[in-house]
Structure formats: C-alpha cells, structure tokens
Amino acid sequence: MQIGVLKERRAGENRVAASPDTVKKFTAAGCKVVVETGAGAGSQISDALYQEAGATIAPSAAAAAASDLVIKIQKPMTAGEGTDEIGYLKSGSILMCHLNALTSKDLVQALAKQGVTAFALELMPRISRAQAMDILSSQSNLAGYKAVVDAAATFGRAMPMMMTAAGTIAPARVLIFGAGVAGLQAIATAKRMGAVVYATDVRYATKEQVESLGGKFIVVDEEKMKAAQTAGGYAKEMDDDFKRKQAEAVHAEVLKSDIVITTALIPGKPAPKLVNAAMVAGMKAGSVIVDLAAEAGGNVEGTVADKATVTANGVTILGYTNMSARLGRDASNLFAKNILNFVMPMLKKGTGELEVKWDDELVKGTLVTKDGQVVLPALAG
C-alpha cells in the first residue's frame, strides 16, 4: 500500500500528518510512503529527514495524492478555495484527516462523488482503546498549554507571587472555562507558572480533576451539572436557565480575573457564548482573554478570529483558531502518531496491505463515505 502525505495549504497551518518516526514505522510494516515536497517545512521537518526515514519525495500534491491512503491534517481544499485537493484523490482511495465532517456536508458529498473512502478522525469514539488515536485530545493538550503561554506573554505582569525586599507581587488570577483536555492542561500550566487558578465546567465530574491539579472549581447547579456529560465524554449543550445561572456565578470571577481562558466546544454546533460584552467591559485594564473556541464562533463576545483585539477598557482578546498549529513540530508528531496507531492494526502483517474491519467500532465511528455514499448516520439521508 502506498501512503501519500500532503502539504497543508490553509492559512496558519504549520502541521504535517506524518513524522520521520511514523514514516519509519510504516515502511518497516511494508508500506511505501510518498511525501509532497515541503510538507514538513512549517514543522521544521525537511524533505531530507523524510528521505532518511524511508519516504519518497513527490514533486506535487497531485503526485503524492495518487496513493491508496492519503493522510492530512485538515480537510482537503476545493477548487473554489484555490486548489482542488479533492480532485487529486483517486477513486477507491482512502482519506484520513480532521474532516470537520459534521459541519462540512458539501465537502463530504464531494468526497463521496469522487469515490473516496473518508475517515473523519475528529469523530474517534472516546473509549479506552482509542485514546492513542484521539487527535482532539492530543492537539487540545498542546492548545491548552500554548493558551497559557500566550496569555502570560501578553499579560504585562508577573504570573507567580514574588516576595522581594522592595515588596510583594501578588500572583495572577486565572479563570478557565471548560475542564476538558485543553482546560485541564491550561490549569496545570497556569499552576506551574505560579498563578491562582479557578475553573468552571458544566460537567460536575470534572470537579475532582480540577482540584487534583490545584485549581478551585466553581459549582453552578450541582444536579444539572451531574447530568451534563454525554456517554462519549463530551459536554452537553445546557438549557437557558443553566446558562443564566452560570453567567451569574462566573460574572464576579471574570471581573476579578487577570487572565481568562475559554475552551468550550460542542461537536457540530456553534460554541456557546460564556463571556458577554458586559463582563469584558468590567475587567481590569491589562487583562487577557484567550478564546480557544474561536474556530467555532468563540465563547467570548468580541473575539475576532485569528486576531488580537484590544477593547476600549484595555482588555486583550486573543482569538487564534488553530492554537496547536502554533507548536507545529510537537503537534505534528502527536497527530502523526494518532494516525499511525489507527492504521497499524489494519495492516496485514508483513505485507503492508490494508485490511479494514468494517464492523470495528472505531472504524464505524469515524467512517464518513464509502462506495460513493455518505455512510455516517448523522449525515446520511
């Protein structure tokens, strides 16, 4: 089987879907790996490093895409976006990437029409067996870390308490919305930097995790919070009554905070608005907000995608839509390992040929198109 690795062409995307390490493992398993020239440039991975690992360098996207399995970070581009990456994919080939399938119905239909079997890696079931294949977790981990680092770099004061002969500097106060993978990493990072950390999440089950990292958990409505987690581990969208209570509970905390980081995302839906304009207007000059939900419309009123916005009262809102790509090398290595862990169990030993078990729950959970049809239940029909 030939595996093609395409260069990412979307603005701000520095990641690549294969690392020299995963190339070595794929070639050792009997696969041929073809990497588009320059694919790793944004992650400081040269063509030479891929060649040393056993890959062949293709001169173009079309050449790399003429493979049995094509792996990418982001969904393929269309002709209307400048490059027809879908058109490069051959009928009968397999595509694996972060497809944004639930919000990209036209793209999914186009892949089906092209005869491509597409896997949306963001839909990986959240079960123990799939943890090493979960791109959302691996990338969110880095995003949570980077959010705190960016906030600290923008914040015009020190993060930890400092006791000096000239006086004492109070620690920064950090408030984190959402205690998923990104939020928990943000809590851990902010604590390591010496901040006082508060956190809120609609899922009561996260309280213990927040406190284990040294954060203080804000409880809104205990009963509703206990019922706010899906079987897959995601947060459910809450009713208006809960949203009102949550806004009231956290309003005072927002006003007291130096740094606010929001991470709340609901798969396939716009991000919930958690910090309104009145809250932002009441914050102290010099405060910083990092909105990790900017890609889905943002949790904060005033967030501008991929911009740093300074409000009239001197609050900076950072709205990067692809935070993990700001740590391209590490993000690429983790994403590439997620793909490797998904693909390797499908390979016949010693042959490098793909043998997909279509009834496997990981396959069924991520399979979007097959045999010219859209097969994902949420999109089919």
Side-chain angles (χ1 to χ4, degrees):
M1 178 180 69
Q2 179 170 302
I3 300 173
V5 183
L6 297 192
K7 180 179 180 178
E8 300 298 322
R9 288 172 166 77
R10 295 186 184 278
E13 184 53 79
N14 297 314
R15 296 171 294 173
V16 60
S19 66
D21 181 59
T22 61
V23 168
K24 278 183 186 176
K25 288 182 168 64
F26 277 132
T27 53
C31 301
K32 179 182 179 181
V33 181
V34 178
V35 180
E36 181 184 352
T37 184
S43 300
Q44 296 84 49
I45 304 173
S46 66
D47 288 353
L49 286 175
Y50 282 124
Q51 286 176 307
E52 288 171 18
T56 299
I57 303 301
S60 66
S67 300
D68 307 300
L69 168 63
V70 174
I71 57 177
K72 289 184 86 283
I73 298 288
Q74 295 208 34
K75 62 186 180 183
M77 297 176 74
T78 63
E81 294 174 297
T83 302
D84 185 13
E85 291 181 321
I86 294 177
Y88 295 151
L89 302 172
K90 66 181 185 180
S91 179
S93 66
I94 295 173
L95 170 70
M96 293 181 182
C97 65
H98 188 151
L99 197 57
N100 285 315
L102 296 179
T103 55
S104 305
K105 294 182 180 180
D106 290 345
L107 177 74
V108 168
Q109 291 287 352
L111 287 168
K113 186 178 179 181
Q114 187 74 5
V116 174
T117 298
F119 288 88
L121 299 179
E122 75 275 8
L123 300 179
M124 188 68 65
R126 290 205 156 173
I127 59 176
S128 297
R129 184 162 65 93
Q131 287 180 353
M133 312 167 194
D134 188 349
I135 63 166
L136 295 184
S137 291
S138 72
Q139 303 304 292
S140 293
N141 228 316
L142 290 171
Y145 161 80
K146 183 62 171 167
V148 176
V149 171
D150 282 356
T154 304
F155 186 51
R157 289 172 40 206
M159 291 284 278
M161 174 184 281
M162 293 185 183
M163 300 180 73
T164 75
T168 299
I169 297 172
R173 190 180 180 107
V174 177
L175 174 62
I176 295 166
F177 284 80
V181 175
L184 291 172
Q185 182 57 248
I187 292 166
T189 303
K191 285 297 293 182
R192 284 197 297 268
M193 295 178 74
V196 175
V197 184
Y198 289 79
T200 179
D201 192 290
V202 298
R203 299 163 298 172
Y204 192 78
T206 62
K207 180 176 184 289
E208 187 177 337
Q209 294 170 291
V210 168
E211 292 174 346
S212 73
L213 294 170
K216 299 175 184 179
F217 190 76
I218 301 168
V219 177
V220 178
D221 182 324
E222 187 171 329
E223 290 307 309
K224 286 187 177 180
M225 292 172 84
K226 285 181 177 178
Q229 183 166 310
T230 67
Y234 296 99
K236 291 180 182 177
E237 185 165 16
M238 305 302 285
D239 60 30
D240 290 340
D241 179 61
F242 182 89
K243 290 176 182 177
R244 177 184 57 77
K245 288 179 180 178
Q246 185 183 44
E248 291 171 357
V250 301
H251 193 141
E253 292 299 333
V254 170
L255 301 189
K256 289 185 284 187
S257 297
D258 299 302
I259 293 171
V260 172
I261 296 171
T262 66
T263 71
L265 287 165
I266 300 172
K269 294 185 178 181
K273 285 289 184 282
L274 303 177
V275 179
N276 61 35
M279 293 180 190
V280 177
M283 293 180 73
K284 297 167 286 189
S287 300
V288 180
I289 300 173
V290 183
D291 191 344
L292 286 180
E295 63 183 288
N299 297 140
V300 182
E301 281 192 60
T303 294
V304 179
D306 293 314
K307 293 283 179 70
T309 306
V310 181
T311 66
N313 58 316
V315 177
T316 301
I317 304 174
L318 304 179
Y320 301 117
T321 59
N322 193 353
M323 187 65 84
S324 57
R326 293 165 60 78
L327 296 168
R329 183 68 174 262
D330 290 330
S332 295
N333 287 336
L334 294 182
F335 197 108
K337 195 67 178 291
N338 293 146
I339 291 178
L340 177 78
N341 291 335
F342 186 44
V343 174
M344 287 298 279
M346 302 180 190
L347 296 178
K348 287 184 183 178
K349 274 193 174 180
T351 68
E353 293 303 314
L354 203 63
E355 187 176 45
V356 181
K357 295 178 181 176
W358 299 108
D359 60 346
D360 184 280
E361 62 183 316
L362 304 186
V363 171
K364 289 194 292 185
T366 54
L367 183 64
V368 177
T369 63
K370 182 176 182 281
D371 299 329
Q373 302 293 320
V374 176
V375 297
L376 184 71
L379 297 175

